[in-house]
Amino acid sequence: MVIVMKAGATEGQIQHVVDRLRNFGLKEHISRGEERTLIGAIGDERVLRTIPINAAPGVEKVMAVVSPYKLASREFNSEDTLIDVNGIKIGGKKIAVMAGPCAVESQGQITTIAKAVKQGGGVILRGGAFKPRTGPYSFQGLGDKGLDMLAEAKTETGLSVITEIMGTEEVDLVASYTDIFQVGARNMQNFTLLKALGQTNTPVMLKRGMSATIEEFLLAAEYILSYGNHNVMLCERGIRTFETYTRNTLDINAVPVLKNLSHLPVIVDPSHATGRRELVAPMAKAAVAAGADGLIIEVHHEPENSLTGDGVQSLLPDQFEKLMKELQRIAKAVDRDMYI
Amino acid sequence: MVIVMKAGATEGQIQHVVDRLRNFGLKEHISRGEERTLIGAIGDERVLRTIPINAAPGVEKVMAVVSPYKLASREFNSEDTLIDVNGIKIGGKKIAVMAGPCAVESQGQITTIAKAVKQGGGVILRGGAFKPRTGPYSFQGLGDKGLDMLAEAKTETGLSVITEIMGTEEVDLVASYTDIFQVGARNMQNFTLLKALGQTNTPVMLKRGMSATIEEFLLAAEYILSYGNHNVMLCERGIRTFETYTRNTLDINAVPVLKNLSHLPVIVDPSHATGRRELVAPMAKAAVAAGADGLIIEVHHEPENSLTGDGVQSLLPDQFEKLMKELQRIAKAVDRDMYI
Amino acid sequence: MVIVMKAGATEGQIQHVVDRLRNFGLKEHISRGEERTLIGAIGDERVLRTIPINAAPGVEKVMAVVSPYKLASREFNSEDTLIDVNGIKIGGKKIAVMAGPCAVESQGQITTIAKAVKQGGGVILRGGAFKPRTGPYSFQGLGDKGLDMLAEAKTETGLSVITEIMGTEEVDLVASYTDIFQVGARNMQNFTLLKALGQTNTPVMLKRGMSATIEEFLLAAEYILSYGNHNVMLCERGIRTFETYTRNTLDINAVPVLKNLSHLPVIVDPSHATGRRELVAPMAKAAVAAGADGLIIEVHHEPENSLTGDGVQSLLPDQFEKLMKELQRIAKAVDRDMYI
Amino acid sequence: MVIVMKAGATEGQIQHVVDRLRNFGLKEHISRGEERTLIGAIGDERVLRTIPINAAPGVEKVMAVVSPYKLASREFNSEDTLIDVNGIKIGGKKIAVMAGPCAVESQGQITTIAKAVKQGGGVILRGGAFKPRTGPYSFQGLGDKGLDMLAEAKTETGLSVITEIMGTEEVDLVASYTDIFQVGARNMQNFTLLKALGQTNTPVMLKRGMSATIEEFLLAAEYILSYGNHNVMLCERGIRTFETYTRNTLDINAVPVLKNLSHLPVIVDPSHATGRRELVAPMAKAAVAAGADGLIIEVHHEPENSLTGDGVQSLLPDQFEKLMKELQRIAKAVDRDMYI
C-alpha cells in the first residue's frame, strides 16, 4: 500500500501515519518527491485494508498494491482448478455445456427439454425451481415441486443438474437435489448466502453481479472459498451498461481476464446476457474463442409458452443442436474439445 | 402494451398474436401503418408482462405502456405516505436526519456518537451490527452484541434506531431491537429477504441497488408492499457509473423522479455515495433542495479508528452540528422544516 | 509515479526501469516489500506520462501520484477565477443564469424569448445557430442567419449572448457575434477545436462529455488554457449511465468536486441533462445548493413548436420567472446571491 | 410512433395531438385502453422525430416504432456492402487485418513495422500522423511529416494505409495520402467532420464513441452516407463502463448486432479497447468468431519506446505473426477466410 501525502503535509502528519503503520505491525518506507511525500507500507497489506488510513490528517489518497483476494488468485494456485461433476471435469481441456429452460414449468416440459439437451450434446441440465424475479407479480417458480420434476428428468436422461439457490433456508433442500448450486447475479453479494454455501461441498456456479467489477466478483468467490468450499466456478452473464439494444452487455473480456487472475473455471451465459435469441450463437462462439471453460444456454421447445417471459432468448432444440456442432469447430480451433 | 410486428409480418402471424392476447383475456386493437403493423393490447397489461409475446413469430418488439409496479405508484396513492417512527413522521413537511457510525464498534463508541447525533439535531441513530462487506477478511460487525450496544445507546439518548438486516434468520432478532430495518444496496434484489420483511410491521428503509433503475427500485419496494408492510422508505445512495473520483455517483435526479412516481418517502445517503467527507455537506444540501424527505449521514468521533474503513467519509460531531444548521436554512428556502 | 513490479521481477528488470527513469531525468526510490518491489519516480511526473513504462518487462502496473492537468488545477491558482462578460462576473459570489431556447428559430421567436429571459432575471441569452444533432435529418440550425437574429435580440434587450461553436471554420464568424463560445458535450474532445478556441480571447463554456471523467474534463479545459485563453468555464450537463428515465444523469457531485480541484467557474445545465421539464426546477435548486456558479436553462414560449424536439424540457416564461425567485432563496441560504 | 396519453388526458388534449399529426401529413389511429389512450401516427415517422409531440399537454410519453437511420439499415440494403481498398474487399468472406503502430514516430519505425505487418499477413498499415490525445502535453503526432513517412512505408511494402483525420482543414491533405480515413471515437459525433468526409469518395472507418449507443453509432454513419460517401465501415473499439481493469470494455455483442441491423462492414479494435497486450489475442479471436469483417491491431517492434504511451498494448512482430495463424483457424471454423 502506498500512502500519498498532500502537497503541504507536515512532518507531524507524516510521523502520525508512520506511527499508525507501526501499530499495525507494518514497516514504513518514506519517499520524498518534488511534489508529494509517499509512504510505502511494508508487510501484509491486507491488514491495512480495513483501517481508514485515508482518514488521517494530511493524507491525499491511498493506493493498493496487491489484490484483496487470495484463495481465488492465480498466485495462490497456478494450476487450473478442475471441478468434478459426476465425471464431467469442468475447467479442463473439454468445454462443458449446461442447457435447459429458465424455469421448470411442468414434468412434461422439463423432461422434453432434458432429452433435447442430451440429444444436442449438453452434459448438465439447467432449470430453476426457485426464481428471483424483478417484480412480485411474476411467476416465482414451482419451488419444491420443481425440484422433484428436475430429479425425475435427471433420472430419465442421466444428465447432471444445476439449479438456483436463493436463500439460506433452502440450502439443505436444494443440496439434496442439485449437482451444482447456481447463485444468481442479484445474489452475488448476498454474503449470508455465500457463507452458507461455503460450508457445503456442493459445487457452486457464482454469477457475476450486474455491476460487479472483476475484483468484487473474485472477492465474492473468496467468501465461498474462505469458508471451505473450493468448488467454485465463475459465470459471466452480462454487465449493465448504457446500451439498451441488448438486455445486458456480455463482457467477453472478463473471460481472459478471469483466466489470468484466477485458477477457477469460467462459464459464460450468452442467453441471459443478450436477451435475444439471434445473438446467442455468435456470442457463444466468441466465448469459446476467448477461452471459456463452459457455457450455460437456454433451450425451450415451446418458447412462446415459457412462464418466465424468457422465451425470446431460448433456442429451439434444433437450433441448440446446430450450435453445438458449430461450437465444436471453434473449440478445436483453439486446441480445446467439447463434452458432447 | 403495444406489439410492433416486423416489416414483413404475415396475416397469419398477426392473427396468432391476436389469438394469444384473447387467450389471456385481453382485447386487441390493430393499427396498420405504412411500415409496420401495431397491435395494442387492451386490458390489464400486467397479465402480459410474464408472457413472452416477443417470442411469437413476426414480432419485432413489445413496448410497455404502464409501469409494472402498482402499490408503490403515485397513481395508487396520490397522498404522500407518512411513516411514524416513535412520533417522528417521515415523509411529511419536516425533514428527518438519521446519523451515526457505519458500524457499532463498542459501547463507548456508539454511546458517544449517539450523544453527538442528538446534540446536533439528528432524530434517528444509525449503526450496523451485521455488516455486508465486500471481502471476507474485513470486519463483519459485532452481531448480537452490537444490537445490545445500540439498545443501550437508544436508552441513554432517547433516539430511535435504524440498523441493517442481512438475512431472513435474523428478522425476528433485529425486529426486537430496531425501529427501522435497513436493507443494503447489495440486498435490494434479495427477494427472499424482501418477502420476509413484507410480513413484518416494522418500517423498512430500502437502499437502491448500485445499478438498479428507478423501475427496478420501485419493483423491489413493491415486493415489501405486496406482502403487507406499507411502511417503506426509499433511499438513494449512489449509483455505479464510469466516474471513479467519487466512490459512487449520488443520483440527486432520483429524488424528484421518485417523488413524482411514488408516494413513498425518499431518503438520501450522501456519505456512502460519495465516500469523501468534503462532499457530504454540499450533497446533503443538494438533496434537501431537490426535495428529499430525510438524510442518513455518517458521524464518527474518531474516524481514524473506525473498523470499517469508512472513517474517510464520516463527519466529526462538530462538522455534523454545523451541517445541520446549514440544512435548516436550505429546508426553509424550499418551504420545509427540519426535525432538529 | 509509483511503478509496481511483478511478484517475481528480477534484479535486471528492476535495474532496467531505474535506467529508464534516469534517462528521463528522474530519480528512483526503491522500496522492497514482502510481496512486491515498488519504484518511486522522483521529479516531474508529467514527463513520464507519455512513456510506456508499463511496457517494460516485469512491470505489473504504474500508479499516478499527481493529476495530469496543471493550469486548470486549484494548486495552480488558489483563487477562484472570475470571468467578466460585459460586467457580469461569472465565478464570484453572484450566481449568473443563462437562458433561452435550444435553437434560434426565427427573429420573432428569439426576441420574444430574450425579453422573457430578461424579465425573469436571466443575464445571458442562449440560442444555437449551429446545432449538433444526433441524426442528419434533424433541423441543423439557421447558421449565419441565426447569428444575425441573436444579435438583434441582444441589441433589443441588452443581454449578453452565448452560442455554440461546432468547427474551426466558424471561429472568427461566431466570435464576432457571441460573448461566450459554447462547446457541446460531443465536442469536448474535439482537440482541433479546443486549440483554436485557446487562441482567442473570448470566454468559453466547455460542456462535459457524456462519458468524460472529471480528469478528462479538466484536461480538455487544460487544452484551451494551455493555448492562452484563460476564460474557461466548466459546464456539467449530465453523464451517460444505465438509467433511462432521465435523458442523462445530471451529476451534481461534479459541482463540489470541480470546485475543489479547479479554480474555474462551474455552470450546470439541468435542462439537457434531465430532458424533462418537471425536473428542471428541483435540479437547478440542487445545483445552487451544491455550489454552482451559474445555470443554463432552456426557455421557450411555445415549446410545442420548437424545431429541435427539445420543447419537452423547456420552461415556459412564467415557469422560468417563478424558478428564478425560488433560486434566489436557495442562493441566500448558501450565502450567495444572484444576478437578477 | 405511438403517443401514450396520460391516465387523465382530456378529449381536448387527444384532439390536439390528432390535429398536430394531421398538420404534419400523418394519420392518426386511436386506441382507447383501460388505463391509457394510445395514438398511433401513420405515415413517415421520421417527420415526427424532430417535433416535440411529448411537449403537448396530456402526453405521457412517445415511443418510436422504426429506427431513425435509413441508408445504414439492413432494410435499405439487404446485401452486405463491400468496400474495395486497392483490391482488398472489406465486408466479404475474407477477413482483413489492419495493423501497425499507434503513431508514426520516425521513418525507421514505420518502415520496420510495416514490413513486420506484411510479413505477418496484414493487408493495411495503420499509423497516426495527427493524434487526438487526452491532454495537451502529450505527443500530438508528427503531422505532415508523419504522412510522408507513411507514404514511404506504403511504397516500400505495397500495403494500403489507414490514418486518422481530426479536422476539416486536413481532409484534402490526408485524402491525398490515405486509402482509408480513420475517424476516432472522440470525433464520432463531430458532425462538421462527418459532413466533410461524406463529400469525399475515400473509404471511412468510423470508430464507435466511447458511450455511443448502437443507434447513435449508426446515425453517425448515416451522416457520412447521406452526404454521398457510401464507403463506410464501422469499428467497435470498446465502450466505457464501470469496469476499470480493462481500459474500456470491448463490446463483442456489437458485432452481431451491427451485422443484423446494417449492411456495413464491421471492424474490431482489440488493442485500444482493452489496453492490455495479453488480452489482444483472445479478444481478436472472439471478434472473428462473432462475425467481424476485419480487425485493427497495434504492432510495435519496440513497445517500450513508443511515444504515445500505448506500447503496453502493442503486439511484438512475432506475437502478431502467431496471432494471424491462430485467427486463420478461427476464420475457417466460422466458414470465413483471411487475407493473409
Side-chain angles (χ1 to χ4, degrees):
Chain A
M1 200 160 269
V2 177
I3 295 125
V4 180
M5 302 301 292
K6 286 181 184 164
T10 65
E11 283 305 308
Q13 290 172 336
I14 292 169
Q15 190 56 45
H16 176 74
V17 170
V18 168
D19 291 345
R20 298 275 296 164
L21 295 180
R22 291 181 181 170
N23 276 354
F24 289 100
L26 296 140
K27 287 185 205 149
E28 78 282 359
H29 194 269
I30 301 179
S31 168
R32 292 172 197 275
E34 289 186 6
E35 305 197 46
R36 298 283 190 284
T37 292
L38 308 188
I39 305 172
I42 299 173
D44 182 359
E45 181 172 313
R46 289 180 187 89
V47 171
L48 269 179
R49 291 238 166 219
T50 55
I51 309 303
I53 284 285
N54 47 7
V59 172
E60 182 168 304
K61 61 177 172 180
V62 173
M63 302 188 296
V65 171
V66 296
S67 59
Y69 46 85
K70 189 174 166 185
L71 305 175
S73 74
R74 183 58 85 179
E75 288 185 28
F76 180 77
N77 185 357
S78 62
E79 296 289 304
D80 285 348
T81 283
L82 291 187
I83 299 178
D84 189 320
V85 180
N86 303 324
I88 304 291
K89 293 201 173 49
I90 300 175
K93 196 185 173 187
K94 292 176 87 170
I95 294 162
V97 175
M98 314 179 187
C102 183
V104 178
E105 297 166 10
S106 70
Q107 189 63 62
Q109 176 246 22
I110 189 68
T111 303
T112 302
I113 297 174
K115 288 176 180 169
V117 167
K118 181 152 192 175
Q119 163 76 16
V123 285
I124 293 167
L125 175 67
R126 65 158 290 164
F130 297 96
K131 297 295 304 171
R133 307 305 306 278
T134 305
Y137 309 125
S138 303
F139 172 62
Q140 306 275 321
L142 296 180
D144 303 15
K145 286 180 191 166
L147 293 176
D148 283 330
M149 294 171 187
L150 199 59
E152 174 65 24
K154 175 178 174 171
T155 304
E156 285 207 40
T157 57
L159 292 171
S160 294
V161 299
I162 178 170
T163 198
E164 182 144 3
I165 175 77
M166 284 181 65
T168 49
E169 299 88 335
E170 297 139 9
V171 169
D172 290 341
L173 174 70
V174 175
S176 70
Y177 283 89
T178 200
D179 298 296
I180 309 174
F181 283 121
Q182 174 177 324
V183 178
R186 291 167 186 80
N187 274 327
M188 190 200 86
Q189 292 188 316
N190 179 341
F191 302 117
T192 303
L193 181 60
L194 300 182
K195 289 175 187 176
L197 297 176
Q199 294 167 47
T200 73
N201 293 317
T202 306
V204 178
M205 185 183 80
L206 179 67
K207 288 190 142 188
R208 181 181 183 186
M210 250 183 298
S211 64
T213 61
I214 294 289
E215 184 171 297
E216 289 167 342
F217 190 16
L218 289 171
L219 276 169
E222 187 86 5
Y223 260 98
I224 304 172
L225 297 168
S226 71
Y227 276 77
N229 186 346
H230 293 163
N231 296 311
V232 178
M233 48 195 113
L234 306 166
C235 179
E236 161 60 35
R237 46 76 70 207
I239 56 173
R240 184 152 273 181
T241 69
F242 60 83
E243 180 59 64
T244 56
Y245 186 84
T246 43
R247 184 194 289 163
N248 290 118
T249 297
L250 184 60
D251 182 9
I252 295 287
N253 309 268
V255 177
V257 168
L258 289 170
K259 295 302 291 181
N260 286 348
L261 296 178
S262 177
H263 52 87
L264 300 173
V266 176
I267 313 296
V268 171
D269 179 348
S271 308
H272 278 85
T274 63
R276 288 175 170 267
R277 187 183 299 154
E278 73 273 19
L279 300 179
V280 172
M283 296 312 290
K285 290 182 215 172
V288 171
D293 298 307
L295 294 166
I296 180 161
I297 293 175
E298 276 196 36
V299 175
H300 203 295
H301 64 308
E302 295 177 329
E304 267 198 82
N305 294 321
S306 87
L307 296 176
T308 57
D310 277 354
V312 67
Q313 74 210 22
S314 297
L315 296 187
L316 289 164
D318 60 336
Q319 293 172 323
F320 176 67
E321 200 169 340
K322 177 168 175 284
L323 173 58
M324 290 296 282
K325 286 179 187 135
E326 294 171 354
L327 290 174
Q328 176 78 294
R329 296 173 65 191
I330 304 278
K332 291 196 169 152
V334 291
D335 295 324
R336 303 282 290 263
D337 202 349
M338 289 187 64
Y339 281 108
I340 224 167
Chain B
M1 202 158 264
V2 177
I3 296 123
V4 181
M5 302 300 293
K6 286 180 184 164
T10 66
E11 283 306 306
Q13 290 171 333
I14 293 169
Q15 190 56 45
H16 176 73
V17 170
V18 167
D19 292 344
R20 297 278 294 165
L21 295 181
R22 289 181 184 170
N23 275 355
F24 288 102
L26 295 139
K27 287 184 205 150
E28 78 283 359
H29 194 269
I30 301 179
S31 167
R32 292 172 196 276
E34 289 184 7
E35 305 198 47
R36 297 283 190 285
T37 292
L38 309 188
I39 305 173
I42 300 174
D44 183 0
E45 182 171 313
R46 288 178 188 89
V47 172
L48 270 179
R49 292 234 167 222
T50 56
I51 310 302
I53 284 284
N54 47 7
V59 172
E60 182 167 306
K61 62 177 170 178
V62 173
M63 304 188 294
V65 171
V66 296
S67 59
Y69 48 85
K70 190 174 167 187
L71 305 175
S73 75
R74 183 57 86 178
E75 288 186 27
F76 181 75
N77 184 357
S78 62
E79 297 288 305
D80 285 349
T81 283
L82 292 187
I83 299 179
D84 190 322
V85 179
N86 302 325
I88 302 292
K89 293 199 172 52
I90 300 175
K93 195 184 173 187
K94 293 175 86 171
I95 294 161
V97 175
M98 314 179 187
C102 183
V104 178
E105 297 165 11
S106 69
Q107 189 63 61
Q109 176 245 23
I110 189 68
T111 302
T112 303
I113 297 175
K115 287 175 180 169
V117 167
K118 180 153 193 175
Q119 163 76 15
V123 285
I124 293 167
L125 175 67
R126 65 158 290 164
F130 298 96
K131 297 296 305 170
R133 306 307 303 280
T134 304
Y137 309 125
S138 303
F139 172 61
Q140 306 274 322
L142 297 180
D144 303 17
K145 287 181 191 166
L147 292 176
D148 283 330
M149 293 171 187
L150 199 60
E152 174 66 23
K154 176 179 174 172
T155 303
E156 284 207 39
T157 57
L159 291 171
S160 294
V161 298
I162 180 170
T163 199
E164 183 143 2
I165 175 78
M166 283 180 66
T168 50
E169 299 87 336
E170 297 140 7
V171 169
D172 289 342
L173 173 71
V174 175
S176 70
Y177 284 89
T178 200
D179 299 297
I180 309 174
F181 282 121
Q182 175 176 322
V183 178
R186 290 168 186 78
N187 273 326
M188 190 199 86
Q189 292 189 316
N190 179 339
F191 302 118
T192 303
L193 180 60
L194 299 183
K195 289 176 187 176
L197 297 176
Q199 293 168 48
T200 73
N201 292 316
T202 305
V204 178
M205 187 182 80
L206 179 67
K207 288 190 144 190
R208 183 182 182 185
M210 251 183 298
S211 64
T213 62
I214 293 288
E215 186 171 296
E216 290 168 340
F217 190 15
L218 289 171
L219 276 168
E222 187 85 6
Y223 260 98
I224 304 172
L225 296 168
S226 71
Y227 276 77
N229 186 345
H230 294 162
N231 295 311
V232 178
M233 47 194 116
L234 305 165
C235 179
E236 162 60 36
R237 48 75 71 206
I239 57 172
R240 184 152 274 182
T241 69
F242 60 84
E243 180 60 63
T244 55
Y245 186 84
T246 43
R247 183 194 292 163
N248 291 115
T249 298
L250 183 60
D251 181 9
I252 294 286
N253 308 268
V255 177
V257 168
L258 289 170
K259 295 301 291 181
N260 286 348
L261 295 178
S262 177
H263 52 88
L264 300 172
V266 176
I267 312 296
V268 170
D269 179 347
S271 306
H272 279 84
T274 62
R276 287 175 171 267
R277 187 183 299 154
E278 72 273 19
L279 299 179
V280 172
M283 296 312 289
K285 290 183 214 173
V288 171
D293 297 308
L295 294 166
I296 181 160
I297 293 174
E298 276 196 36
V299 175
H300 203 295
H301 63 308
E302 295 178 330
E304 269 198 80
N305 294 321
S306 86
L307 297 176
T308 57
D310 276 354
V312 69
Q313 74 211 22
S314 297
L315 297 186
L316 291 163
D318 60 336
Q319 293 172 324
F320 176 66
E321 199 169 339
K322 177 166 174 285
L323 172 59
M324 290 296 281
K325 287 182 184 132
E326 294 171 354
L327 290 173
Q328 176 78 293
R329 295 173 67 190
I330 303 278
K332 291 197 169 152
V334 291
D335 295 324
R336 302 282 290 262
D337 202 350
M338 290 187 63
Y339 281 107
I340 223 166
Chain C
M1 201 160 266
V2 177
I3 295 124
V4 180
M5 302 300 292
K6 286 181 184 164
T10 65
E11 282 306 307
Q13 290 171 335
I14 292 169
Q15 190 56 44
H16 176 72
V17 170
V18 167
D19 292 344
R20 296 277 294 164
L21 295 181
R22 290 181 182 170
N23 276 354
F24 288 101
L26 296 139
K27 287 185 204 148
E28 77 284 359
H29 194 268
I30 301 179
S31 168
R32 294 173 194 274
E34 291 185 5
E35 305 198 46
R36 298 282 189 284
T37 293
L38 308 189
I39 305 173
I42 298 174
D44 183 0
E45 182 171 312
R46 288 180 188 87
V47 171
L48 270 179
R49 291 234 168 223
T50 56
I51 309 304
I53 285 284
N54 47 8
V59 172
E60 181 166 305
K61 61 178 170 180
V62 174
M63 304 188 293
V65 171
V66 297
S67 58
Y69 47 86
K70 189 174 166 187
L71 304 176
S73 74
R74 182 59 85 178
E75 287 185 28
F76 180 76
N77 184 358
S78 62
E79 297 288 304
D80 286 348
T81 284
L82 291 187
I83 299 178
D84 190 321
V85 179
N86 302 325
I88 303 293
K89 294 198 173 52
I90 299 175
K93 194 184 174 187
K94 292 176 87 171
I95 294 161
V97 175
M98 314 179 186
C102 182
V104 177
E105 297 165 12
S106 70
Q107 189 62 63
Q109 177 246 21
I110 190 68
T111 304
T112 301
I113 297 174
K115 287 176 180 170
V117 166
K118 180 152 192 176
Q119 164 74 16
V123 286
I124 292 167
L125 176 67
R126 66 158 288 163
F130 298 96
K131 298 295 305 170
R133 305 307 305 279
T134 305
Y137 309 125
S138 303
F139 172 62
Q140 307 274 322
L142 297 180
D144 304 16
K145 287 182 192 165
L147 292 176
D148 283 330
M149 293 172 187
L150 199 60
E152 173 65 23
K154 175 179 174 171
T155 304
E156 285 208 39
T157 57
L159 293 170
S160 294
V161 298
I162 178 169
T163 198
E164 183 143 2
I165 175 77
M166 282 181 66
T168 49
E169 299 88 335
E170 297 139 9
V171 169
D172 290 342
L173 174 70
V174 174
S176 70
Y177 283 90
T178 200
D179 299 296
I180 309 174
F181 283 121
Q182 174 176 323
V183 178
R186 291 167 186 78
N187 274 326
M188 191 200 85
Q189 292 189 315
N190 179 340
F191 302 118
T192 304
L193 181 60
L194 299 182
K195 289 175 185 175
L197 296 177
Q199 292 167 49
T200 72
N201 292 316
T202 305
V204 178
M205 185 182 81
L206 178 67
K207 288 191 143 188
R208 181 181 183 185
M210 251 185 298
S211 64
T213 61
I214 294 287
E215 186 171 295
E216 289 168 341
F217 190 15
L218 289 170
L219 276 168
E222 187 86 4
Y223 261 96
I224 304 172
L225 296 167
S226 71
Y227 276 76
N229 186 344
H230 293 163
N231 295 311
V232 178
M233 47 195 115
L234 305 165
C235 180
E236 160 62 34
R237 48 73 72 208
I239 56 173
R240 184 151 273 182
T241 69
F242 61 82
E243 180 60 62
T244 56
Y245 186 84
T246 44
R247 185 193 290 164
N248 290 117
T249 297
L250 183 61
D251 181 9
I252 294 285
N253 309 268
V255 177
V257 168
L258 289 170
K259 295 301 292 179
N260 286 348
L261 296 178
S262 176
H263 51 89
L264 300 172
V266 176
I267 313 296
V268 171
D269 180 348
S271 306
H272 278 85
T274 63
R276 289 176 169 263
R277 188 183 298 153
E278 73 273 18
L279 299 180
V280 172
M283 296 313 289
K285 290 182 214 174
V288 171
D293 297 308
L295 294 165
I296 181 161
I297 293 175
E298 276 196 35
V299 175
H300 203 294
H301 64 306
E302 294 178 330
E304 268 198 81
N305 294 322
S306 86
L307 296 177
T308 57
D310 276 354
V312 68
Q313 75 211 20
S314 297
L315 296 186
L316 290 163
D318 60 335
Q319 293 171 324
F320 175 67
E321 199 169 340
K322 177 167 174 284
L323 172 58
M324 290 296 282
K325 288 180 184 134
E326 294 170 354
L327 290 174
Q328 176 77 296
R329 294 174 67 191
I330 304 279
K332 292 198 168 150
V334 291
D335 294 325
R336 302 283 290 263
D337 201 350
M338 290 187 64
Y339 281 106
I340 221 165
Chain D
M1 201 160 266
V2 177
I3 296 124
V4 180
M5 302 300 292
K6 286 181 182 162
T10 66
E11 282 306 307
Q13 290 172 334
I14 293 169
Q15 190 55 46
H16 176 73
V17 169
V18 168
D19 291 345
R20 297 277 293 165
L21 294 182
R22 290 182 182 170
N23 276 354
F24 288 101
L26 296 140
K27 287 185 206 150
E28 79 284 358
H29 194 268
I30 302 179
S31 168
R32 292 172 196 276
E34 290 184 6
E35 306 198 44
R36 297 282 190 285
T37 292
L38 309 188
I39 305 173
I42 300 174
D44 183 359
E45 182 171 313
R46 288 180 187 89
V47 171
L48 269 180
R49 292 237 166 220
T50 56
I51 309 302
I53 285 284
N54 46 8
V59 172
E60 183 167 304
K61 61 177 170 180
V62 173
M63 303 188 295
V65 171
V66 297
S67 59
Y69 47 83
K70 190 175 165 184
L71 304 176
S73 74
R74 182 58 85 178
E75 288 185 28
F76 180 76
N77 184 358
S78 62
E79 296 289 304
D80 285 349
T81 283
L82 291 188
I83 299 178
D84 189 322
V85 180
N86 303 325
I88 304 291
K89 293 200 173 51
I90 299 175
K93 194 184 174 188
K94 290 175 88 171
I95 294 162
V97 175
M98 314 179 187
C102 183
V104 178
E105 298 166 11
S106 70
Q107 189 63 64
Q109 175 245 24
I110 189 68
T111 303
T112 302
I113 296 174
K115 288 176 180 169
V117 166
K118 180 152 192 175
Q119 163 76 14
V123 284
I124 293 167
L125 174 67
R126 64 158 290 164
F130 297 96
K131 298 294 305 171
R133 306 305 305 279
T134 305
Y137 309 124
S138 303
F139 173 61
Q140 307 275 321
L142 297 179
D144 304 14
K145 286 181 191 165
L147 292 176
D148 283 330
M149 294 171 186
L150 200 59
E152 173 66 22
K154 176 179 173 171
T155 303
E156 286 209 37
T157 58
L159 293 170
S160 295
V161 299
I162 179 170
T163 199
E164 183 144 2
I165 175 76
M166 282 180 67
T168 49
E169 298 88 335
E170 297 139 8
V171 169
D172 289 343
L173 174 70
V174 175
S176 70
Y177 284 91
T178 200
D179 299 296
I180 310 174
F181 283 122
Q182 175 176 324
V183 178
R186 292 168 185 78
N187 273 327
M188 190 200 85
Q189 292 189 315
N190 180 341
F191 301 117
T192 303
L193 180 60
L194 299 182
K195 289 176 188 176
L197 297 176
Q199 293 166 48
T200 74
N201 292 316
T202 305
V204 178
M205 186 183 79
L206 179 67
K207 288 191 144 188
R208 182 181 182 186
M210 250 185 298
S211 64
T213 61
I214 293 288
E215 185 171 297
E216 289 167 342
F217 190 15
L218 289 171
L219 276 168
E222 187 86 5
Y223 260 98
I224 304 172
L225 297 168
S226 71
Y227 276 77
N229 186 345
H230 292 162
N231 296 312
V232 178
M233 48 195 114
L234 305 166
C235 179
E236 161 61 35
R237 46 76 70 209
I239 57 173
R240 184 153 272 181
T241 68
F242 61 83
E243 181 60 64
T244 55
Y245 185 84
T246 43
R247 185 196 288 164
N248 289 117
T249 298
L250 183 61
D251 181 10
I252 294 285
N253 309 267
V255 177
V257 168
L258 289 170
K259 295 301 292 179
N260 286 348
L261 296 179
S262 177
H263 51 90
L264 301 172
V266 175
I267 313 297
V268 170
D269 179 347
S271 307
H272 278 85
T274 62
R276 286 174 171 268
R277 187 183 299 154
E278 74 272 21
L279 300 180
V280 172
M283 296 312 290
K285 291 182 213 172
V288 171
D293 298 307
L295 293 166
I296 180 161
I297 293 175
E298 276 195 36
V299 174
H300 203 293
H301 63 308
E302 294 177 330
E304 268 199 81
N305 294 322
S306 87
L307 297 176
T308 56
D310 276 353
V312 68
Q313 75 211 20
S314 297
L315 296 186
L316 291 163
D318 60 337
Q319 293 171 323
F320 175 67
E321 199 169 339
K322 177 166 175 285
L323 172 59
M324 290 296 282
K325 288 180 184 134
E326 294 170 353
L327 290 174
Q328 176 78 293
R329 296 173 66 191
I330 303 278
K332 292 199 167 148
V334 291
D335 295 323
R336 302 282 290 262
D337 202 349
M338 289 187 65
Y339 281 107
I340 222 167

